Amino acid sequence: MIRDMQWMPSKLVPRSAPFFLLILTLAAAVSFAAVSHLVARYNANQQSRGRKLYAEGLADANAGRYDAAIATLRAALTCEPTNSQYQLSLARALRDSNDSRRLDEAESYLLALWQRTPQDAAVNLALARVAAHRGSIEDATRYYHNAMYGVWNSDPDANRKNARIELIQFLIRKGAPDKAESELMALATASPLDPAAHLQAAQLFEQAQDYPSALAQYRDVLHLDPTNAEALAGAGQAAFRSGNNSVADHYLKEAVKANPQDANSRQLLATTDLILRSNPFHSHISDAERNRRIAAAFAQAEKRLTVCAKQKGIDLNASNSASSLPAQQTRWMATKADLAHLRSPGETDLPDAIMDVVFQIEQQTAAICGPPQGLDLALFLISQKREAAIP
């Protein structure tokens, strides 16, 4: 019996390998679950830390503290290396830091994002701004267009419009008015029946020095809002800059009436009034009035010449002066006798010849003594318009 009892333990222990495999599998599963739990907690902690750092980095960037923003956003990115929003924000901070050495790094982040989602409008806009920082018209235009026609997460119409406006302003700054013009035409065509939209388009046309198109946009504003003081002033200025003085006079009078404190419109109105009252080439004046205006302009030119010469210490009677003013004085004196012949019907070219002397004096004195004022300014502007009309 004792012998039988000695064999009992060996009979109670299983001798098959599956039992041991089961034990090992259960142990491995428990260990894996524990590790997975630890990894999940670590990742959650990292994500939480990353979100906190990201928020701090955005706050620094919005406040213009780009060095701090870059450092904090880099730390956020170490928490989530594949987070595209963190990469985009870091690239923006690198770009906006105004450190040319950081542009390459910003571009590398953005190009990596672009390769993954080339249709992402926000990424294309960020790349457009990098190109604008570098002054590349070709690259900036391409990426701005990508942004306009790309996918926006919210408010796509407003974002596309703003992207086009950014491109227009960039092209104007870079001295590319022809390229800006085509973008402006697209903007104007897409503008809704909203005074603010047409007002913005008008101001951009003015920046591009396309004054006729600016005037057209200002008129669209006034069609929708006839008493808009800003549009009245803008229309007057655009008409003035394009040399359309009669139209300028109309809008500037309305602008001053709508806003008596508008000093700029008041000053332009005074100049426009002088131009309209002193221009001898106006089509609706009599011969007598034309001759009176020519005589007044001729006398004013001599005054301007004398004052400018005195201001610069130039002797108008010197025969070997390095200045051009004595030659203008000689020409004025030689032309003075022709004033008496203005009444002669056969002297059809004489008004042009006399006014050519006036215009030369006004242009030369403006170059030597600075911008003219009053009647001299009016005559100077008339001379510019007259030259522009000659092919």
Side-chain angles (χ1 to χ4, degrees), residues 107-374:
E107 188 176 39
S108 68
Y109 278 115
L110 294 171
L111 286 175
L113 290 170
W114 187 87
Q115 288 172 355
R116 294 203 295 270
T117 54
Q119 76 282 2
D120 190 310
V123 172
N124 279 288
L125 182 61
L127 279 165
R129 289 170 176 170
V130 168
H133 270 277
R134 288 187 167 139
S136 172
I137 292 177
E138 182 180 352
D139 289 344
T141 301
R142 181 173 72 255
Y143 285 122
Y144 273 121
H145 281 166
N146 288 349
M148 289 176 216
Y149 306 118
V151 177
W152 292 94
N153 292 330
S154 63
D155 206 357
D157 291 340
N159 283 318
R160 285 170 183 146
K161 175 186 173 184
N162 291 336
R164 191 180 296 279
I165 289 171
E166 267 193 42
L167 173 57
I168 292 167
Q169 292 170 332
F170 166 72
L171 293 171
I172 292 171
R173 289 196 306 271
K174 295 302 293 180
D178 292 342
K179 294 180 183 297
E181 185 81 12
S182 63
E183 299 296 335
L184 274 165
M185 291 300 180
L187 177 68
T189 302
S191 293
L193 293 176
D194 172 37
H198 287 286
L199 187 63
Q200 186 177 40
Q203 291 165 345
L204 289 169
F205 273 116
E206 273 201 277
Q207 291 178 33
Q209 299 182 359
D210 183 351
Y211 299 116
S213 295
L215 178 58
Q217 289 296 311
Y218 281 125
R219 281 174 162 162
D220 285 342
V221 176
L222 293 169
H223 178 73
L224 299 167
D225 183 7
T227 60
N228 189 306
E230 192 173 0
L232 288 168
Q237 178 167 297
F240 177 83
R241 299 297 179 201
S242 60
N244 196 339
N245 294 297
S246 297
V247 174
D249 184 71
H250 165 72
Y251 284 118
L252 290 169
K253 283 177 179 175
E254 293 299 317
V256 171
K257 188 187 301 182
N259 180 15
Q261 306 303 316
D262 186 351
N264 183 61
S265 291
R266 191 177 294 278
Q267 182 179 3
L268 286 179
L269 178 59
T271 301
T272 301
D273 185 57
L274 273 174
I275 292 172
L276 292 173
R277 287 190 290 109
S278 60
N279 188 357
F281 302 111
H282 198 284
S283 58
H284 300 297
I285 59 174
S286 65
D287 288 344
E289 175 62 15
R290 180 203 63 181
N291 294 341
R292 186 198 67 76
R293 293 184 181 192
I294 292 173
F298 194 72
Q300 182 65 30
E302 186 199 22
K303 291 178 183 177
R304 171 67 164 160
L305 187 61
T306 302
V307 170
C308 180
K310 185 176 180 180
Q311 179 184 333
K312 294 298 182 180
I314 298 170
D315 182 4
L316 290 176
N317 296 314
S319 58
N320 57 350
S321 174
S323 171
S324 62
L325 295 188
Q328 294 299 328
Q329 171 73 3
T330 300
R331 190 179 178 199
W332 186 91
M333 292 295 296
T335 308
K336 184 177 180 181
D338 293 333
L339 286 174
H341 302 292
L342 276 174
R343 297 184 180 88
S344 303
E347 297 292 345
T348 55
D349 295 332
L350 192 55
D352 287 330
I354 295 174
M355 288 306 298
D356 184 57
V357 174
V358 173
F359 293 154
Q360 285 294 317
I361 290 173
E362 292 295 347
Q363 290 175 5
Q364 289 292 320
T365 52
I368 294 171
C369 293
Q373 302 293 326

